[in-house]
Every structure is written in C-alpha cells, then in structure tokens.
Amino acid sequence: MKHLVAIVGTNSKLSTNRQLLEYMKEHFKQQAEIELIEIKGIPIFKKSAGMQVPEETRKIAAKIEQSDGVIIGTPEYDHAVPAALLSLLAWLSYGQHPLVDKPVMITGASFGTLGSSRAQAQLRQVLDSPEIKARIMPSSEFLLDHSLEAFQDKEHLVNKELADQLDGLFKDFIEFIDISSQLGNAHTANKQQAKDFSWESSDKKER
C-alpha cells in the first residue's frame, strides 16, 4: 500500500480544501495511507546567513522524503496560491529539497465556480521551478466548485460525476507513482542541481 502525504494548503481553521483531503483520506483508505500535513504555524519564509530552516519544515521535509507521493490541496486567494503555502514551498527549497522528482497530485476547492483553477496553474509553475523540481501528474486538474455544498458528510461527495472523476484521477496517481519509480536515472543529478541553483548567481551571469 502506498504512503502519501497530503498538504493542507491553507492556515484557515475552516477550509473545504482540508475537508476534501479528509474525504480522500477516508475514501481511498483501501488504496493508500494518506497523512494530512497542516501548515499552520509555519513562519513566513526569510533567508538567513546560515540557511537555517524551522524545525517544523524539517519534519515536513522528512515526511515528504519518506512518502511515495504528495497531494497538495490549494485554495485560491485573489487568483493565486495562498501566501502560507508558497512560504512552505520556499522553505522546502532552501537547503532542503524533498520534492525533487517526487510525484505530486494537485487538488483544489473553492466556494465559487472556478474551483481554484488559477491557483492550480500557478502552483504547477512553482513546483516545476529549478529549486523544487517536483514531478507533477499531467492532465490531472481536480476542481471542486461550490465546495460549501459539496459534501453530504465526511465520506460522500454530493456530485457523483465529480466523485467519479476524483476516483479516476486518484487511480491514475497511484499508477503515476509506479511509473515515476522507474524514472530515477537522473535523480541524483536533479537533486544536486536543485541544491546548487541560485537566482543570485544566475542574475550575475546575465549581467
């Protein structure tokens, strides 16, 4: 059975993105063990002279390293990824790089009709950056709109079409993890490139 970590991409106490990940944890428990990770209390990213990172982010990095894959549930604030989630990703690409070549599935829920579509597109760009280099499952956008009315209870989505879509995407993600495990020939080099990358040195070269 696969072990996955699911990052709740918000520090909000009441979040339908958290509710969606909790639904997935219960609904897919026969296919994978899903551990939810909260980002509440993670300090805003700030560079330090010794590249010191908060202990909380070290623990999250270790869990990601040990996992078979990662699910990220992102809300959309002002057509963008929440600052708290971006801050976590910055910490996870600063002296530690657990997401390099790690299979990632993105989900998103919103109160309105868009289902965090713009935030998901932005998140894909961030995860594909030179310092992160995650392996994002292609063509896998899951958008849960009108999320306040989306759940009948913790174990049921009201919209059967969306529930069936999520079932299919999750099955694809499990297969994507298996495929990704065969694509590790460049992993050591990718990891080293992520560690060596510096926007500052790139800027100097361009000048």
Side-chain angles (χ1 to χ4, degrees), residues 10 29 34 37 40 59 62 66 71 78 81 89 123 126 129 151 158 160 162 166 183 186-190 195 204:
T10 175
K29 63 183 179 183
I34 301 176
I37 292 179
K40 292 180 291 187
K59 291 178 180 178
Q66 295 162 11
I71 304 168
D78 299 325
V81 178
L89 293 175
L123 182 55
V126 173
S129 65
F151 298 93
V158 174
K160 186 179 185 304
L162 280 176
L166 184 58
L183 305 176
H187 179 69
T188 300
N190 289 340
K195 290 179 180 178
K204 290 178 182 178

Short mmCIF file of all heavy atoms in Angstrom, two decimals, residues 10 29 34 37 40 59 62 66 71 78 81 89 123 126 129 151 158 160 162 166 183 186-190 195 204:
data_model
loop_
_atom_site.label_atom_id
_atom_site.label_comp_id
_atom_site.label_asym_id
_atom_site.label_seq_id
_atom_site.Cartn_x
_atom_site.Cartn_y
_atom_site.Cartn_z
N THR A 10 -3.52 25.77 3.36
CA THR A 10 -4.10 26.97 3.96
C THR A 10 -3.93 26.89 5.47
O THR A 10 -3.84 25.80 6.04
CB THR A 10 -5.59 27.09 3.62
OG1 THR A 10 -6.17 28.21 4.32
CG2 THR A 10 -6.36 25.84 4.02
N LYS A 29 -8.82 4.83 1.61
CA LYS A 29 -8.02 4.17 2.63
C LYS A 29 -7.64 2.73 2.27
O LYS A 29 -6.70 2.17 2.83
CB LYS A 29 -8.73 4.21 3.98
CG LYS A 29 -10.06 3.47 4.01
CD LYS A 29 -10.73 3.65 5.38
CE LYS A 29 -12.08 2.94 5.44
NZ LYS A 29 -12.75 3.17 6.73
N ILE A 34 -3.01 7.91 3.73
CA ILE A 34 -2.81 9.34 3.48
C ILE A 34 -2.67 10.07 4.82
O ILE A 34 -3.58 10.02 5.65
CB ILE A 34 -3.97 9.94 2.67
CG1 ILE A 34 -4.11 9.20 1.33
CG2 ILE A 34 -3.75 11.43 2.44
CD1 ILE A 34 -5.29 9.68 0.49
N ILE A 37 -0.98 16.92 6.43
CA ILE A 37 0.02 17.81 7.00
C ILE A 37 -0.53 19.23 7.01
O ILE A 37 -0.96 19.75 5.97
CB ILE A 37 1.33 17.77 6.18
CG1 ILE A 37 2.01 16.41 6.34
CG2 ILE A 37 2.27 18.89 6.61
CD1 ILE A 37 3.29 16.28 5.55
N LYS A 40 -0.27 25.42 9.42
CA LYS A 40 -0.49 26.44 10.44
C LYS A 40 0.74 26.52 11.34
O LYS A 40 1.29 25.51 11.77
CB LYS A 40 -1.72 26.10 11.28
CG LYS A 40 -3.04 26.18 10.54
CD LYS A 40 -4.22 25.83 11.42
CE LYS A 40 -4.24 24.37 11.80
NZ LYS A 40 -5.47 23.99 12.53
N LYS A 59 10.67 18.60 9.66
CA LYS A 59 9.82 17.43 9.89
C LYS A 59 8.94 17.14 8.67
O LYS A 59 8.76 15.99 8.28
CB LYS A 59 8.95 17.66 11.13
CG LYS A 59 9.74 17.68 12.43
CD LYS A 59 8.83 17.95 13.63
CE LYS A 59 9.62 17.97 14.92
NZ LYS A 59 8.74 18.28 16.10
N ALA A 62 11.06 15.65 5.92
CA ALA A 62 11.36 14.24 6.19
C ALA A 62 10.18 13.35 5.82
O ALA A 62 10.35 12.27 5.23
CB ALA A 62 11.72 14.05 7.66
N GLN A 66 10.07 10.43 2.83
CA GLN A 66 9.72 9.05 3.13
C GLN A 66 8.45 8.59 2.43
O GLN A 66 8.14 7.39 2.41
CB GLN A 66 9.56 8.87 4.64
CG GLN A 66 10.86 9.09 5.41
CD GLN A 66 10.64 9.36 6.89
OE1 GLN A 66 9.53 9.20 7.40
NE2 GLN A 66 11.69 9.78 7.58
N ILE A 71 0.07 14.90 -2.18
CA ILE A 71 -1.13 15.57 -2.65
C ILE A 71 -1.14 16.97 -2.04
O ILE A 71 -0.90 17.11 -0.84
CB ILE A 71 -2.41 14.82 -2.24
CG1 ILE A 71 -2.37 13.37 -2.71
CG2 ILE A 71 -3.66 15.53 -2.79
CD1 ILE A 71 -3.46 12.50 -2.09
N ASP A 78 -7.39 35.68 -4.42
CA ASP A 78 -7.07 36.71 -5.41
C ASP A 78 -6.39 36.11 -6.64
O ASP A 78 -5.37 36.61 -7.13
CB ASP A 78 -6.16 37.79 -4.80
CG ASP A 78 -6.83 38.49 -3.63
OD1 ASP A 78 -8.06 38.67 -3.68
OD2 ASP A 78 -6.12 38.85 -2.67
N VAL A 81 -2.08 31.31 -5.42
CA VAL A 81 -1.81 30.37 -4.34
C VAL A 81 -1.67 31.15 -3.03
O VAL A 81 -1.06 32.22 -3.01
CB VAL A 81 -0.50 29.60 -4.62
CG1 VAL A 81 -0.18 28.65 -3.48
CG2 VAL A 81 -0.61 28.85 -5.95
N LEU A 89 6.60 26.11 0.58
CA LEU A 89 7.36 25.61 -0.56
C LEU A 89 8.72 26.29 -0.65
O LEU A 89 9.71 25.66 -1.06
CB LEU A 89 6.56 25.83 -1.85
CG LEU A 89 5.28 25.00 -1.96
CD1 LEU A 89 4.50 25.38 -3.21
CD2 LEU A 89 5.60 23.50 -1.96
N LEU A 123 0.48 27.03 -9.09
CA LEU A 123 1.18 26.04 -8.26
C LEU A 123 2.00 25.09 -9.12
O LEU A 123 3.12 24.71 -8.74
CB LEU A 123 0.17 25.27 -7.41
CG LEU A 123 0.74 24.23 -6.44
CD1 LEU A 123 1.76 24.85 -5.50
CD2 LEU A 123 -0.39 23.57 -5.65
N VAL A 126 5.23 26.81 -9.89
CA VAL A 126 6.11 26.86 -8.72
C VAL A 126 6.77 25.50 -8.50
O VAL A 126 7.99 25.40 -8.28
CB VAL A 126 5.33 27.29 -7.47
CG1 VAL A 126 6.20 27.17 -6.22
CG2 VAL A 126 4.81 28.71 -7.62
N SER A 129 9.72 24.68 -10.69
CA SER A 129 10.85 25.60 -10.63
C SER A 129 12.16 24.84 -10.38
O SER A 129 12.16 23.72 -9.86
CB SER A 129 10.63 26.64 -9.52
OG SER A 129 10.61 26.01 -8.25
N PHE A 151 -20.25 18.43 0.11
CA PHE A 151 -20.15 17.20 0.89
C PHE A 151 -21.46 16.87 1.58
O PHE A 151 -22.05 17.70 2.26
CB PHE A 151 -19.04 17.33 1.94
CG PHE A 151 -17.67 17.54 1.35
CD1 PHE A 151 -17.17 18.82 1.16
CD2 PHE A 151 -16.90 16.46 0.96
CE1 PHE A 151 -15.92 19.02 0.61
CE2 PHE A 151 -15.64 16.65 0.41
CZ PHE A 151 -15.15 17.93 0.23
N VAL A 158 -21.45 15.08 -2.94
CA VAL A 158 -22.81 15.17 -3.46
C VAL A 158 -22.84 14.92 -4.97
O VAL A 158 -23.70 14.20 -5.48
CB VAL A 158 -23.44 16.54 -3.13
CG1 VAL A 158 -24.79 16.70 -3.81
CG2 VAL A 158 -23.57 16.71 -1.62
N LYS A 160 -21.97 13.17 -8.04
CA LYS A 160 -21.43 11.86 -8.38
C LYS A 160 -20.43 11.94 -9.53
O LYS A 160 -19.44 11.20 -9.56
CB LYS A 160 -22.55 10.90 -8.75
CG LYS A 160 -22.08 9.47 -8.97
CD LYS A 160 -23.21 8.54 -9.32
CE LYS A 160 -22.71 7.10 -9.42
NZ LYS A 160 -21.60 6.94 -10.39
N LEU A 162 -18.33 14.38 -10.17
CA LEU A 162 -17.06 14.81 -9.61
C LEU A 162 -16.41 13.71 -8.77
O LEU A 162 -15.19 13.52 -8.81
CB LEU A 162 -17.26 16.07 -8.75
CG LEU A 162 -17.35 17.40 -9.49
CD1 LEU A 162 -17.65 18.52 -8.51
CD2 LEU A 162 -16.07 17.69 -10.26
N LEU A 166 -12.74 12.11 -9.45
CA LEU A 166 -11.68 12.02 -8.44
C LEU A 166 -11.22 10.58 -8.26
O LEU A 166 -10.02 10.33 -8.11
CB LEU A 166 -12.18 12.59 -7.11
CG LEU A 166 -11.15 12.65 -5.97
CD1 LEU A 166 -9.93 13.47 -6.38
CD2 LEU A 166 -11.78 13.24 -4.71
N LEU A 183 11.71 6.10 -13.24
CA LEU A 183 12.34 7.23 -13.93
C LEU A 183 13.35 7.94 -13.04
O LEU A 183 13.44 9.15 -13.06
CB LEU A 183 11.25 8.22 -14.38
CG LEU A 183 10.13 7.65 -15.26
CD1 LEU A 183 9.08 8.73 -15.53
CD2 LEU A 183 10.69 7.12 -16.57
N ALA A 186 18.09 10.10 -13.40
CA ALA A 186 18.69 11.42 -13.26
C ALA A 186 18.44 12.03 -11.89
O ALA A 186 18.73 13.21 -11.68
CB ALA A 186 18.17 12.36 -14.35
N HIS A 187 17.92 11.24 -10.95
CA HIS A 187 17.51 11.80 -9.67
C HIS A 187 18.67 12.45 -8.92
O HIS A 187 18.54 13.56 -8.40
CB HIS A 187 16.87 10.72 -8.79
CG HIS A 187 16.46 11.23 -7.44
ND1 HIS A 187 15.42 12.11 -7.26
CD2 HIS A 187 16.98 11.00 -6.20
CE1 HIS A 187 15.30 12.41 -5.98
NE2 HIS A 187 16.22 11.74 -5.31
N THR A 188 19.81 11.77 -8.85
CA THR A 188 20.95 12.32 -8.13
C THR A 188 21.39 13.65 -8.74
O THR A 188 21.66 14.63 -8.02
CB THR A 188 22.12 11.33 -8.13
OG1 THR A 188 21.71 10.11 -7.51
CG2 THR A 188 23.31 11.90 -7.37
N ALA A 189 21.44 13.69 -10.07
CA ALA A 189 21.83 14.93 -10.75
C ALA A 189 20.79 16.02 -10.54
O ALA A 189 21.13 17.19 -10.33
CB ALA A 189 22.02 14.67 -12.24
N ASN A 190 19.51 15.65 -10.60
CA ASN A 190 18.44 16.64 -10.39
C ASN A 190 18.50 17.22 -8.99
O ASN A 190 18.31 18.42 -8.78
CB ASN A 190 17.06 15.99 -10.62
CG ASN A 190 16.80 15.68 -12.07
OD1 ASN A 190 17.44 16.24 -12.96
ND2 ASN A 190 15.85 14.78 -12.32
N LYS A 195 20.06 21.82 -5.40
CA LYS A 195 20.88 22.34 -4.31
C LYS A 195 21.79 23.46 -4.77
O LYS A 195 22.02 24.44 -4.05
CB LYS A 195 21.72 21.21 -3.71
CG LYS A 195 20.92 20.18 -2.93
CD LYS A 195 21.84 19.09 -2.39
CE LYS A 195 21.06 18.06 -1.59
NZ LYS A 195 21.94 16.96 -1.09
N LYS A 204 23.75 37.40 -11.82
CA LYS A 204 25.09 37.94 -12.05
C LYS A 204 25.61 37.53 -13.42
O LYS A 204 26.23 38.30 -14.15
CB LYS A 204 26.04 37.45 -10.95
CG LYS A 204 25.77 38.09 -9.60
CD LYS A 204 26.69 37.52 -8.55
CE LYS A 204 26.39 38.10 -7.17
NZ LYS A 204 27.24 37.53 -6.12
#
